[in-house]
Amino acid sequence: MIKLKNILTEAPESSSADITEKELKTAKIVVHGLIQRGFGRVGAVGLSGNISVESRFKTAATDGIAEGLCQWQGLRLTALKAYATAKGKSYTSLSLQLDFMKYELLDSYYTNDKYIAGVPKGLIFINHGGDIGYKKKTPRRDTAATTETKNYIKSITSDVSETTKNLRKNVFRPTASLAHEDRRVANAVKIDDYAK
């Protein structure tokens, strides 16, 4: 904790947390919701710190290309919408987007031994006994991983600040002008304290 405190007190003014009280309340719901879905606390807080900059915790946030809490775009946005359709929910639902984060980052885009219909094949990478490629059905005991799951796993450390930075780089991957890494980290530290 001393290390994090030093980062905040020694950082320039631009790195101070800019999260509002309303956003902190939503962040607490997100952190606890992710933990209930199997995420570790540090990972959940790191994701929330990034979400604070990506969408300000607005599930319908859009810049015209990317949408949702995590500003999914391209194949990942298509997967979010297909997942919502399969679940019979709106893709802007907070609980649905938290479920999708688990599906994408922990479950490697597969659920109950079946892929969700409509999830783009390009997102699914299976390496099982020399059989590489998209599979319609793969038992859970098989080794299955997507780039996003691998990126999430390699981002997690025991430190909220470091995990937040890693997630920005490996999972969220914003353009340089939208990185705002210092804000993501400062917000994550504030969320960590608030969500206890």
Side-chain angles (χ1 to χ4, degrees), residues 47-67:
L47 287 166
S48 294
N50 279 283
I51 289 168
S52 72
V53 172
E54 292 287 326
S55 65
R56 309 304 295 193
F57 295 97
K58 296 176 182 159
T59 60
T62 184
D63 65 1
I65 298 170
E67 298 182 42

Side-chain angles (χ1 to χ4, degrees), residues 9-176:
T9 57
E10 294 171 7
E13 184 67 34
S14 64
S15 70
S16 61
D18 69 345
I19 190 166
T20 67
E21 187 68 27
K22 180 180 177 184
E23 290 166 348
L24 275 172
K25 288 178 181 176
T26 305
K28 184 174 183 176
I29 292 167
V30 168
V31 167
H32 290 284
L34 291 173
I35 290 170
Q36 289 171 350
R37 287 165 174 82
F39 287 82
R41 181 172 176 77
V42 173
V45 171
L47 287 166
S48 294
N50 279 283
I51 289 168
S52 72
V53 172
E54 292 287 326
S55 65
R56 309 304 295 193
F57 295 97
K58 296 176 182 159
T59 60
T62 184
D63 65 1
I65 298 170
E67 298 182 42
L69 286 176
C70 297
Q71 290 296 279
W72 291 282
Q73 60 182 307
L75 292 177
R76 292 172 74 190
L77 178 58
T78 301
L80 168 66
K81 291 179 178 180
Y83 182 82
T85 299
K87 298 295 181 182
K89 294 183 177 180
S90 168
Y91 75 94
T92 60
S93 156
L94 177 60
S95 65
L96 183 281
Q97 288 189 17
L98 296 180
D99 288 342
F100 181 75
M101 290 170 72
K102 177 185 184 300
Y103 176 64
E104 179 181 49
L105 300 176
L106 297 184
D107 294 343
S108 300
Y109 287 103
Y110 70 98
T111 269
N112 298 328
D113 303 335
K114 295 181 182 179
Y115 294 109
I116 298 292
V119 172
K121 292 179 181 181
L123 288 172
I124 299 165
F125 179 78
I126 307 282
N127 184 350
H128 174 62
D131 187 12
I132 299 173
Y134 175 81
K135 294 281 187 190
K136 201 66 176 162
K137 294 183 180 180
T138 300
R140 273 205 171 300
R141 66 184 176 276
D142 286 0
T143 301
T146 65
T147 301
E148 299 314 323
T149 302
K150 288 179 183 177
N151 286 344
Y152 173 76
I153 291 168
K154 77 179 182 182
S155 297
I156 304 304
T157 71
S158 60
D159 180 75
V160 166
S161 178
E162 193 64 32
T163 296
T164 303
K165 290 177 188 179
N166 291 344
L167 289 168
R168 190 237 6 116
K169 181 176 110 184
N170 298 322
V171 174
F172 288 88
R173 302 184 295 273
T175 58

